[in-house]
Amino acid sequence: GCSGNTCESPEPFGLFRSVRLVTTGPARIAPWGVHVWHDGEMKKAFVETEIDFGALAAAGLRLRIACPELGIDETVGCDGQKAVRREYALNGVTPWSPENPKLYAVRAELLSAEGTLLDAEEVRTGFNTVRWPLASGLKERRFLLNGQPLFVHGTSETEHRFGGGLAFAPQEIDARCAELKRLGFNLLREGHEPHDLRYAAHLAESGILYWTGMSTHIYFDTEEFRANFLAEVEQWVKERRNNPAVVIWGLQ
C-alpha cells in the first residue's frame, strides 16, 4: 500500500488487480524471465532467459531465441542453467521514439530433448538511448532521447476509481491512454504505484514516455515487511525492464 488517504475498498486486503491464472508444465520460463537490452550504442543486443526447471530433469532441454525482424533464430542447450544469456549483432535497428515507436517481438521457447514445446514467452521491446546530464558545469543539460533533445510535456494520474480500487477494466485503461494521446501529452507518470501492465503496453505502442513508480508511505519496520517490499520491487522492475518507453524509475 502507499498511503492511508487512498486505501479503500479492496486494497488493504491485497486485491490490487484483476487477476489471471496461468498453467504451465513442470519446466517453464520464469515469470517475466526474458530480458532484452542493448550495449548502449544499439550495435549489440543481449537476451537473457531465466528458467524454472521445477520437478523436470534438466537433461536435454533446449532454448530457442527468435526475432525474425532482427535476423535472430538460435537454439542452444540449457542443461542445469537457471539463466541463459546470448549476444546478437544489431544491424539496421530502428530506434524507438515518440515519432516512431518501433517495437520488436523477441520470443523464447523452452524445448524438450525431443523438440516438444514446453513453454514460451514473447516480449515486445524496443531500443533507444536516454541521457539527462544534470551535473553542474555541463553545457548540455537537456533531456536527450537517441541523442536528440526532447521537450517533455507530461501528466500524472492515480489509477484509482472510488469504490473500485485499482482493478480497472481494460476498456477504462484503453480510454484513459487514448485521452493522453488526444490531449497531446508525451509522458505519463504513475502516481504513485505501479499501474496495470496494460498501461505499459499502450505507452510503448503509442510513443508516450513512461515514468514508472513504486512507493510506500506505510512502511512497517519488520524483517517480514522489508523482505516482501524488496521482492515486490524486483518484480516491478522485471515487469517493465523491456519497455523502451520507460525513461524514469521512481522508487519512494
Side-chain angles (χ1 to χ4, degrees):
C2 173
S3 59
N5 61 357
T6 59
C7 286
E8 57 90 12
S9 190
E11 285 95 332
F13 302 98
L15 301 176
F16 301 107
R17 302 275 182 247
S18 302
V19 298
R20 60 194 175 103
L21 179 67
V22 179
T23 59
T24 70
R28 64 175 183 172
I29 296 170
W32 300 286
V34 180
H35 184 197
V36 184
W37 72 101
H38 69 90
D39 60 353
E41 298 180 348
M42 290 180 276
K43 294 181 179 178
K44 295 179 182 178
F46 306 93
V47 181
E48 183 172 276
T49 307
E50 297 177 51
I51 301 170
D52 179 2
F53 293 104
L56 191 67
L61 294 188
R62 293 177 293 160
L63 180 69
R64 180 188 177 213
I65 305 295
C67 178
E69 281 195 274
L70 295 175
I72 298 172
D73 195 339
E74 180 187 35
T75 302
V76 297
C78 55
D79 290 355
Q81 299 182 63
K82 292 184 178 180
V84 178
R85 181 182 295 189
R86 305 299 296 169
E87 177 181 317
Y88 305 101
L90 289 177
N91 298 311
V93 65
T94 300
W96 184 96
S97 68
E99 297 78 23
N100 186 11
K102 175 61 178 176
L103 297 174
Y104 295 90
V106 179
R107 180 177 173 86
E109 297 180 346
L110 186 62
L111 308 172
S112 69
E114 297 75 30
T116 302
L117 179 65
L118 301 176
D119 194 21
E121 183 76 19
E122 184 173 288
V123 299
R124 300 191 70 208
T125 189
F127 303 94
N128 56 22
T129 61
V130 175
R131 291 183 62 241
W132 200 345
L134 296 177
S136 60
L138 295 178
K139 293 182 180 179
E140 179 60 87
R141 299 186 65 182
R142 292 179 293 178
F143 176 84
L144 304 174
L145 184 69
N146 300 320
Q148 300 299 315
L150 177 67
F151 179 77
V152 177
H153 177 57
T155 187
S156 175
E157 76 160 21
T158 299
E159 186 190 10
H160 182 267
R161 177 166 47 81
F162 189 73
L166 284 75
F168 277 22
Q171 296 90 336
E172 292 176 296
I173 297 173
D174 295 348
R176 293 166 82 96
C177 289
E179 190 77 352
L180 286 172
K181 196 75 173 178
R182 187 185 71 81
L183 292 172
F185 293 114
N186 65 1
L187 178 141
L188 174 68
R189 172 183 175 262
E190 292 175 332
H192 23 255
E193 299 94 354
H195 284 26
D196 191 297
L197 288 173
R198 193 177 183 92
Y199 276 93
H202 266 294
L203 301 180
E205 292 168 2
S206 60
I208 296 176
L209 303 177
Y210 186 13
W211 176 346
T212 182
M214 177 80 172
S215 176
T216 180
H217 290 176
I218 305 172
Y219 198 96
F220 296 98
D221 190 19
T222 66
E223 291 296 331
E224 294 83 2
F225 187 92
R226 284 192 289 270
N228 182 71
F229 183 73
L230 289 174
E232 296 285 352
V233 168
E234 180 179 348
Q235 179 174 322
W236 164 63
V237 172
K238 284 186 174 181
E239 289 173 351
R240 290 156 178 80
R241 60 187 176 179
N242 295 309
N243 193 324
V246 175
V247 295
I248 300 176
W249 295 83
L251 180 61
Q252 183 180 46

